[in-house]
Amino acid sequence: MSTNSMCCLFVSMTVWASFIGATPTRADSPFDLDSLFAVSVGGPAAVVSLQQVRYVKVTGKLTYNGQPGRFTEYLMPPDRILLELSFGQFSVAQGFDGRIAWQRDQNGRLMEISGYEKRELIKSLYFETHAYLDPSRRGNSVSYKGTVVREDTGFYLIAFIPSEGDTVLAYFNGTTGVLAQMLSRLDNVQTVTYFDNYQPVNGILTPMRTQLEAPEVPLTIEFDAESCRINEPFDSAVFSMPVEPDTGYRFVSEGDSVRVPFSYRAGHIYVPAVINGKRRVWLILDSGASATIFNELAVAEFDLEAAGTIPAKGMGGFTEVMMVRIDSLQVGDVFLYGQIGGVMDLSGIGHQGADGAPFGGVIGFDFLSRFPVLVDYGDSSLTIYRPERFRTPDGGTSVPFRLVMQVPAIEGALSGVPGDFIVDLGNAYGLILHKEFVEKNRLDTLLVDIRETGALGGVGGAVDGRTGVARSFDMGPLYLDSLRVMLPGLSQGLAGSSELAGNIGNMVLESYKVLFDYRRSQITFYPAGPAAP
């Protein structure tokens, strides 16, 4: 049921872009790559100006899937960037200080990012700092692919291969030298960025309007720059990941931990919770959810104020989610305050509790990232630890993880084939393999007893596929043999991810007690038994 909410906000957001031309060229004239690059920023004088750029700050308006907002971008060549976006009631940010890439989500949660999220941010730096103009940095990373005609217009097609990230295709107008659009990919999502309204800034021709589209999501972001200031100094500390205390929760009791019984049904962990001190509901605990998503029927009576919409990425694809703010969410003796979460119809996923309380939705990163949480399938309980007093109990096997769109991913190997697998408490099944991982490694030849299976439900739609038995599966140092795995047929959503090999769910995890510790970036597996560690 994994939902990934905010990552797509940051797909190739080139605001202060670099390829804008003034001096005409012709698509039928002899081609010179270096000359085009000089033309694209305004000529030789502009290239000299670029070499003197030390500080850039851009501010303006944005429209995100029709929602109005604001943006601010800071840039310090060659390797620092910060982009801040705000929409009504919430804001998000992403930054890179030359070493650490980080993100702040809609609830103010700060986290280091890695993998393709980090690569996308570094890729935007590659373009925005004009690395493609510097022969010492460019190397063989730029190639001319010839001329193409699109909608009766001729373009020079250039392929850029940043040191971080996938190939980007850029289309320069064959008559004016202006960059018209760029095509890129984020995992299995294609994006296209358009540039126009070019204006000179310190002699450098710059697009004051940029529009990014990801039709598969669907996602459209429009940036309209109102101010672009170059070489006006600002504090370089803005690029560093902030160190801020988390004041968004409270333990009612004075103990070191809180125990919360849960109901384990049909492969889902149902946790009792109270919304705004009024409505008792059952929430599915879902480490694959990057935001809390409420079932709209459970919160309809609250008349919650909308805070915008975002696309959510699930196992079967993408869907649009409305965001709302709630005053409080209580789980046991722990309160979360002022949380922004999504609202959508989840009635086809969950069930009401045995006590008659309704199904209220899913809870994941917003909850699990704040404190260590032990999931004990044997006695159907969560233990929520007070983070400032926590020490990892002995007797377990700890496996490091990295966050991928706010979801923990660990290194593993299926029948000896390595890959990164997310650990997903919202997955009611076992190990689900992603289509590209299966096809790339021809895993169907390594599996036995392959069978057709029914649809798997979740955010983004159902997924059909097959099952098979793998000889072995390693989760870090842990080893499982003769494991039945699922092979979805879709190439969309998480099931089509090219970055992630698969999804580890409860039918695998229930053989252990599982401790999630986001602050230490590790998951610890304990032997199943009657007593919690």
Side-chain angles (χ1 to χ4, degrees), residues 356-390:
F359 169 59
V362 300
I363 184 173
F365 178 84
D366 301 332
F367 173 74
L368 290 166
S369 65
R370 283 189 153 93
F371 10 72
V373 176
L374 177 74
V375 181
D376 189 333
Y377 294 87
D379 72 352
S380 297
S381 70
L382 299 181
T383 303
I384 307 169
Y385 294 93
R386 193 184 292 272
E388 64 271 19
R389 303 178 189 172
F390 178 73

Side-chain angles (χ1 to χ4, degrees), residues 431-449:
L431 177 60
I432 301 176
L433 303 181
H434 295 168
K435 185 177 180 181
E436 184 162 327
F437 178 68
V438 172
E439 294 178 346
K440 178 181 178 181
N441 297 288
R442 300 188 62 190
L443 292 182
D444 53 343
T445 65
L446 301 179
L447 303 176
V448 298
D449 193 19

Side-chain angles (χ1 to χ4, degrees), residues 302-323:
F302 294 122
D303 192 26
L304 299 173
E305 182 179 356
T309 64
I310 57 174
K313 184 178 183 180
M315 180 58 65
F318 292 88
T319 188
E320 193 79 5
V321 177
M322 177 180 291
M323 304 300 286

Side-chain angles (χ1 to χ4, degrees), residues 192-272:
V192 56
T193 307
Y194 302 91
F195 306 90
D196 59 20
N197 189 22
Y198 311 127
Q199 297 180 21
V201 181
N202 283 33
I204 306 165
L205 280 160
T206 303
M208 304 302 282
R209 178 175 173 79
T210 305
Q211 179 172 313
L212 179 140
E213 296 180 358
E216 301 167 67
V217 176
L219 173 70
T220 299
I221 309 177
E222 303 169 14
F223 295 91
D224 287 289
E226 297 173 333
S227 171
C228 181
R229 300 183 180 277
I230 294 180
N231 288 341
E232 292 187 8
F234 48 76
D235 188 351
S236 62
V238 300
F239 300 106
S240 299
M241 183 173 172
V243 179
E244 300 173 355
D246 185 359
T247 59
Y249 71 89
R250 179 173 66 91
F251 277 70
V252 176
S253 62
E254 292 299 323
D256 292 343
S257 64
V258 172
R259 183 179 179 276
V260 180
F262 64 72
S263 175
Y264 189 46
R265 293 187 292 156
H268 280 141
I269 298 170
Y270 288 86
V271 179

Side-chain angles (χ1 to χ4, degrees), residues 10 12-17 55-60 62 70-76 80-85 94-95 121 124-125 127-129 206-207 210 223 225 227-230 234 238-239:
F10 302 103
S12 302
M13 288 183 175
T14 310
V15 179
W16 184 65
Y55 300 89
V56 180
K57 181 179 179 181
V58 185
T59 59
L62 68 88
R70 302 283 304 175
F71 76 89
T72 300
E73 184 184 51
Y74 298 87
L75 182 69
M76 185 180 291
R80 299 183 189 185
I81 188 173
L82 171 65
L83 180 62
E84 299 175 322
L85 311 179
Q94 198 171 56
L121 193 57
S124 70
L125 265 171
F127 292 116
E128 297 194 44
T129 59
T206 303
T210 305
F223 295 91
S227 171
C228 181
R229 300 183 180 277
I230 294 180
F234 48 76
V238 300
F239 300 106

